[in-house]
């Protein structure tokens, strides 16, 4: 057990933070929702009712889809584009999917390489793009969940104001949907930009996301 905890400490740490943050969001969100309900003359709802409501679902889904979009774009952009001096980038001149030898696939794969990396053709191609594909799939599913839950939450407010509800197609081109979406996207893009640029000049000793403290600012694709 100690070996398992040590070998998986980073993922377990963030899993714990995720569970705590999601739980805290649900409790705080339930309280804020009930405050609005009472102010508008409505009835308060219990925590189980709130966490299964469209109000909670849309808040969660809109954050998930923006996070996975951030990672998807970062994964794909770093294949083709570089930032000189950043440990988040490949070296200038290494743009592109790289050779089989460098990627250790096919006849260049080692005995402990993943099975699909040792094959050729479709299976190797699928495995070679599996990370971006899964990130893209989760983004699309989260975006769909946001649109469905957001429409339900929006229509609840519309009906409370004696206004006509919107169809799914109408909602996904509405200001409410894109306000929710873009306010998350812009923050994610700014965070990635900050990480890429600041890591050229600043350091965090011991972190693989940073260059070694003494590495020149122009050193690229170097991790501490």
């Amino acid at each position: 057990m100690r070996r398992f905890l040590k070998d998986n400490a980073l993922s377990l740490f963030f899993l714990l933070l995720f569970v705590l943050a999601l739980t805290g969001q649900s409790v705080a969100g339930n309280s804020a929702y009930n405050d609005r309900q009472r102010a508008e003359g409505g009835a308060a709802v219990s925590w189980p009712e709130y966490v299964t409501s469209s109000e909670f679902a849309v808040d969660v889904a809109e954050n998930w889809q923006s996070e996975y979009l951030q990672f998807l774009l970062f994964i794909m952009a770093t294949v083709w584009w570089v930032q000189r001096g950043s440990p988040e980038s490949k070296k200038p001149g290494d743009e592109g999917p790289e050779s089989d030898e460098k990627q250790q696939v096919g006849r260049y794969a080692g005995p402990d390489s993943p099975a699909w990396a040792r094959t050729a053709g479709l299976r190797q191609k699928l495995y070679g793009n599996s990370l971006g594909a899964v990130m893209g799939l989760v983004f699309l599913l989260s975006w769909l969940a946001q649109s469905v839950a957001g429409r339900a939450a929006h229509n609840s407010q519309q009906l409370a104001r004696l206004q006509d509800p919107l169809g799914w197609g109408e909602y996904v081109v509405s200001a409410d949907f894109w306000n929710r979406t873009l306010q998350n996207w812009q923050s994610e893009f700014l965070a990635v930009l900050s990480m890429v640029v600041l890591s050229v000049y600043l350091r965090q000793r011991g972190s693989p996301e940073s260059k070694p403290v003494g590495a020149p600012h122009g050193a690229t694709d170097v991790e501490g």
Side-chain angles (χ1 to χ4, degrees):
M1 177 59 72
R2 291 181 62 185
R3 178 62 182 270
F4 174 82
L5 293 175
K6 183 177 180 180
D7 288 350
N8 297 278
L10 186 61
S11 57
L12 291 172
F13 172 70
F14 279 102
L15 176 61
L16 177 61
L17 288 182
F18 165 72
V19 171
L20 292 175
L22 186 63
T23 302
Q25 178 190 351
S26 69
V27 173
N30 184 205
S31 178
Y33 178 77
N34 284 338
D35 287 343
R36 292 197 303 271
Q37 287 289 94
R38 295 187 189 97
E40 296 169 359
V45 300
S46 65
W47 181 82
E49 290 176 311
Y50 176 72
V51 296
T52 56
S53 70
S54 58
E55 290 283 343
F56 180 67
V58 68
D59 288 342
V60 172
E62 72 182 41
N63 284 287
W64 286 12
Q65 60 91 0
S66 65
E67 295 291 344
Y68 279 95
L69 175 64
Q70 172 199 156
F71 282 114
L72 171 63
L73 292 179
F74 191 59
I75 289 167
M76 302 309 296
T78 52
V79 174
W80 299 100
W81 295 327
V82 300
Q83 174 61 55
R84 183 180 296 274
S86 176
E88 305 297 326
S89 168
K90 296 189 291 188
K91 295 177 181 178
D94 287 348
E95 297 89 342
E98 301 177 341
S99 66
D100 287 355
E101 182 177 9
K102 191 167 186 177
Q103 286 293 309
Q104 303 174 42
V105 297
R107 63 192 180 95
Y108 298 104
D112 56 349
S113 296
W116 281 29
R118 298 196 298 268
T119 63
L122 181 60
R123 285 196 297 172
Q124 185 194 110
K125 192 174 186 64
L126 288 174
Y127 187 69
N129 294 279
S130 56
L131 180 60
V134 170
M135 289 292 182
L137 178 61
V138 176
F139 161 68
L140 290 175
L141 292 175
S142 300
W143 181 87
L144 179 61
Q146 177 198 345
S147 68
V148 172
R151 172 179 172 261
H154 182 74
N155 283 343
S156 295
Q157 297 175 1
Q158 290 286 95
L159 293 172
R161 303 185 190 113
L162 303 179
Q163 296 175 326
D164 293 334
L166 300 180
W168 182 82
E170 294 175 303
Y171 179 69
V172 295
V173 296
S174 69
D176 181 79
F177 177 77
W178 284 105
N179 177 55
R180 284 180 172 274
T181 299
L182 293 173
Q183 68 177 331
N184 285 285
W185 286 8
Q186 55 85 14
S187 63
E188 302 299 340
F189 298 155
L190 178 62
V192 172
L193 171 63
S194 300
M195 184 65 181
V196 169
V197 175
L198 292 178
S199 61
V200 175
Y201 304 103
L202 305 180
R203 309 286 189 268
Q204 180 57 58
R205 184 168 185 151
S207 174
E209 300 304 314
S210 168
K211 293 185 288 189
V213 177
H217 292 325
T220 311
D221 191 27
V222 177
E223 296 179 343

